[in-house]
Amino acid sequence: QVQLVESGGGLVQPGGSLRLSCAASGSIFNIYTMGWYRQAPGKQRELVASISRGGSTNYADSVKGRFTISRDDAKNTVYLQMNSLKPEDTAVYYCNARRGGLGSPEYWGQGTQVTVSS
């Protein structure tokens, strides 16, 4: 079992920045990929960014160049630095961990709300 706890969400003005954190605990030794998803009201949950054990990253086209995913292995924590935020980024952001490729067992955090509004 893997437990994921997100933090760092909140209200920010357009053009502002936030950093989300996801602390992992439990049976994390064989986690292959961690990432961030988001879900806005009335929309499907979508992948925002992911990072593998080897450090490879992937980003949604909508956030590429603005968001950066990183990890701190000593703290078992992944981060999502979000810059130049837009109202379209408003969503609940969820931390995700997978034991393998797509379709493998995965775990989710409780979500943290990000609201971009003036």
Side-chain angles (χ1 to χ4, degrees):
Q1 182 64 271
V2 174
Q3 183 172 338
L4 306 172
V5 179
E6 303 108 325
S7 62
L11 175 64
V12 65
Q13 292 182 299
S17 298
L18 285 173
R19 188 181 74 161
L20 306 183
S21 299
C22 174
S25 61
S27 300
I28 62 174
F29 61 92
N30 61 347
I31 292 296
Y32 175 69
T33 304
M34 297 189 69
W36 291 93
Y37 288 71
R38 67 186 181 188
Q39 187 166 25
K43 296 185 178 180
Q44 296 289 105
R45 186 174 297 187
E46 64 174 349
L47 175 67
V48 177
S50 65
I51 186 167
S52 72
R53 291 189 309 221
S56 298
T57 58
N58 282 300
Y59 296 93
D61 289 341
S62 60
V63 307
K64 195 170 185 178
R66 300 187 297 122
F67 292 8
T68 303
I69 189 170
S70 62
R71 70 182 198 272
D72 185 337
D73 292 337
K75 297 182 178 180
N76 295 321
T77 300
V78 296
Y79 304 94
L80 185 67
Q81 179 66 46
M82 305 185 293
N83 298 326
S84 302
L85 282 162
K86 305 175 180 179
E88 306 91 269
D89 297 317
T90 296
V92 177
Y93 284 70
Y94 297 91
C95 185
N96 168 270
R98 286 194 284 108
R99 296 195 180 278
L102 291 174
S104 298
E106 58 187 53
Y107 305 88
W108 297 92
Q110 80 286 350
T112 184
Q113 177 71 47
V114 172
T115 302
V116 184
S117 176
S118 60

